Amino acid sequence: MRNKLIYMAAALLCLAACTKTKVSDLQLGGDCLVTALSLDGYEGNIDLVSRSIVVRLPEVYETSAMEVTSLVISEGATCPVKQGDKLNMSSAKGLKVQNGDVSLDWTLSVLHDQARITRFVINDMYNGIIDQEAKTISVFLPGTEDVHSLVPTIEISANAAVVPASGVAQDFSAPVTFTVTNNSARSVYTVTVTVIEKPKALFLGAASNKEDLDPEALTACNWMIANVPGTLYASFADIKNGTLDLSECKIMWWHFHRHPFVDGHDQFIDMATEALDAKNQIRAFYENGGALLMTRYATNLPSFIGATGDDDWTTPNNCWGGEENSAELCGGPWDFRIYAGQNEHPLYKDIIMGDDPNKVLCTDAGYYITNSTAQYHIGTDWGGYDDYNAWTTRTGATIIGVGGDGAIVAWEYPAHDGKGGIICIGSGCYDWYSYTYGAGYVENYHKNIAIMTANAINYLTK
């Protein structure tokens, strides 16, 4: 027992000696701070808590070979980056500062000063169309608004300031300039408010104002306001209540997106109550020569306003669609086909073509799409329309485009007997909004969506 105790004591002494020796070899007393750093003479802002260094630069500044013009670190410390080094600062860089056996990792990045208005809304309802290159903003209002006292809500670049301030009423009876400043950056925007007493065109929706539309419909609406002169957004309640003077209106466009998708006649009745509440007014507009562009699930509406006679069961019989936040990634261009003999239809004027002259290419690789579809299945394999002749006879419409399986995805109710024309596009390829884009996304064929829409509006209103 005595020998065992002696051995244990010796072992403990040995362990203590080894531990003491190991600790004494470590150099733990030095600091690893960056106290000053500049690139090309621009001083960095140092945050000791996050161990980050941010160098503010002018809005346009080349960053591919920036010189470290000063670098001060703790006494006795070392860093792989030295004064005089050239750094490519197109992305953030990591800096390791070491002092003996202690080290700290720092992040070095640059931030361009940016003085931009990114969003401009009047009275929380009317969204401005911003031209960043020309530094102009255009806002279109109905004649019911008082232009002498309008309140702008303005969103600007991070760290920037704007004068006049957001939320302060302004007189927009003449153009108003807004100046945005951010460190070295300065931009002056000219805002012009145009009052439309009698709209030439309307984008329809259930929301009381367009900013409450879903992203798909809002993207389409903003395009129309920017590209079709005299356009206003109108809710179905506006149409029902007669709050707008439609005496000069030539066309109404409804791009109806929702999830879950609208699967035919009965679901349309349940899911489009606001539109059906205004169907009598829309029908009167149509019967008096007004044109309609109906896209996505809005293609159901013509059956309810007399476009197919008294038969409101002529709605699309084959419908589906997904959610924006789980949209499908396009591996390449998605398309539908031009129906035989319709290559010269005005809808297809000047579209961007691929190798096949009968394909309408609508998306590009890297685009995320919900594939929301409202089409007509043709065939004897289920009830509905045995062939194209049966469909044409019952609906009175003209086929313009078909899917790969022959389903009717684009069609026209020609103007006749004083009634306006109607174009319907129910192809899942007809998509305005991608919630994100895949790596390397380049828009090319997706431009055909806007081209076709402009063609349809021009054709229907000529």
Side-chain angles (χ1 to χ4, degrees):
M1 179 66 180
R2 183 170 178 273
N3 290 340
K4 185 176 182 181
L5 290 173
I6 292 172
Y7 290 144
M8 289 177 63
L12 288 171
L13 287 171
C14 181
L15 177 60
C18 291
T19 303
K20 184 177 180 181
T21 301
K22 183 175 183 181
V23 170
S24 66
D25 288 343
L26 293 176
Q27 304 299 314
L28 303 177
D31 290 330
C32 302
L33 302 180
V34 176
T35 55
L37 187 149
S38 63
L39 298 174
D40 287 358
Y42 292 96
E43 287 292 333
N45 297 312
I46 298 173
D47 187 326
L48 297 177
V49 176
S50 63
R51 295 200 299 276
S52 63
I53 308 155
V54 179
V55 179
R56 298 282 296 271
L57 300 174
E59 186 168 5
V60 178
Y61 194 88
E62 176 57 51
T63 62
S64 61
M66 298 191 71
E67 182 180 349
V68 181
T69 46
S70 70
L71 176 61
V72 179
I73 59 178
S74 298
E75 184 178 355
T78 60
C79 178
V81 173
K82 302 289 191 300
Q83 186 171 326
D85 286 355
K86 299 281 189 177
L87 301 179
N88 183 351
M89 293 306 303
S90 57
S91 59
K93 294 287 182 291
L95 301 181
K96 181 182 287 293
V97 179
Q98 188 159 354
N99 202 336
D101 293 302
V102 180
S103 66
L104 287 179
D105 292 319
W106 295 75
T107 300
L108 172 64
S109 62
V110 298
L111 176 64
H112 289 273
D113 296 333
Q114 198 172 74
R116 291 191 177 189
I117 292 177
T118 56
R119 187 167 180 262
F120 192 96
V121 183
I122 293 288
N123 288 3
D124 293 326
M125 292 185 65
Y126 308 105
N127 200 55
I129 300 163
I130 303 174
D131 185 330
Q132 293 291 3
E133 185 173 339
K135 295 294 185 287
T136 60
I137 302 174
S138 302
V139 189
F140 299 92
L141 309 181
T144 54
E145 297 290 349
D146 178 11
V147 295
H148 298 285
S149 182
L150 299 172
V151 179
T153 299
I154 310 169
E155 295 180 7
I156 55 180
S157 306
N159 305 311
V162 62
V163 176
S166 176
V168 178
Q170 302 292 330
D171 182 351
F172 284 95
S173 57
V176 178
T177 58
F178 288 79
T179 302
V180 186
T181 55
N182 185 4
N183 202 27
S184 66
R186 180 178 182 272
S187 298
V188 179
Y189 288 79
T190 300
V191 179
T192 302
V193 171
T194 302
V195 174
I196 301 176
E197 299 285 353
K198 298 178 181 181
K200 301 289 193 299
L202 293 177
F203 188 96
L204 303 179
S208 59
N209 72 82
K210 75 182 184 72
E211 297 309 309
D212 292 331
L213 294 170
D214 62 273
E216 172 69 26
L218 180 59
T219 303
C221 179
N222 285 337
W223 175 89
M224 187 181 190
I225 290 173
N227 291 277
V228 181
T231 293
L232 285 179
Y233 172 77
S235 70
F236 289 113
D238 292 330
I239 301 302
K240 179 184 177 182
N241 297 330
T243 57
L244 294 170
D245 185 342
L246 302 182
S247 60
E248 295 184 11
C249 186
K250 303 297 183 184
I251 188 167
M252 295 179 180
W253 176 20
W254 183 24
H255 184 58
F256 182 26
H257 171 78
R258 73 168 286 156
H259 185 84
F261 60 89
V262 182
D263 192 9
H265 179 277
D266 289 349
Q267 283 198 6
F268 184 77
I269 291 175
D270 291 339
M271 297 179 177
T273 54
E274 297 89 352
L276 293 177
D277 284 344
K279 71 176 183 179
N280 291 336
Q281 291 76 18
I282 297 174
R283 180 169 185 162
F285 173 79
Y286 159 66
E287 291 182 343
N288 286 315
L292 299 172
L293 176 59
M294 300 282 106
T295 52
R296 198 159 283 190
Y297 304 125
T299 55
N300 286 271
L301 186 61
S303 297
F304 291 87
I305 61 170
T308 58
D310 295 326
D311 186 358
D312 67 9
W313 281 90
T314 53
T315 54
N317 63 1
N318 189 201
C319 308
W320 65 84
E323 294 185 74
E324 291 289 2
N325 60 7
S326 58
E328 184 174 353
L329 178 62
C330 298
W334 283 27
D335 65 83
F336 66 89
R337 302 190 70 83
I338 300 173
Y339 185 60
Q342 291 286 7
N343 293 71
E344 300 303 316
H345 192 283
L347 183 67
Y348 305 126
K349 182 177 182 293
D350 296 329
I351 63 172
I352 303 167
M353 301 299 296
D355 295 333
D356 189 334
N358 296 310
K359 280 187 177 181
V360 181
L361 302 168
C362 297
T363 69
D364 300 285
Y367 186 91
Y368 284 83
I369 191 168
T370 64
N371 194 19
S372 298
T373 301
Q375 65 181 21
Y376 289 93
H377 177 84
I378 302 297
T380 59
D381 51 333
W382 65 18
Y385 308 94
D386 290 350
D387 53 33
Y388 291 138
N389 287 333
W391 180 87
T392 300
T393 300
R394 183 174 173 187
T395 63
T398 301
I399 304 171
I400 304 175
V402 295
D405 61 353
I408 298 172
V409 300
W411 59 99
E412 175 186 2
Y413 301 94
H416 65 96
D417 301 326
K419 298 178 181 179
I422 304 175
I423 283 183
C424 294
I425 305 175
S427 170
C429 301
Y430 183 87
D431 192 283
W432 280 91
Y433 172 80
S434 178
Y435 80 99
T436 186
Y437 298 102
Y441 174 78
V442 177
E443 182 172 273
N444 183 33
Y445 296 119
H446 185 249
K447 296 175 183 176
N448 283 333
I449 302 301
I451 294 171
M452 282 191 292
T453 306
N455 287 342
I457 292 171
N458 291 335
Y459 169 63
L460 290 168
T461 58
K462 67 180 180 181

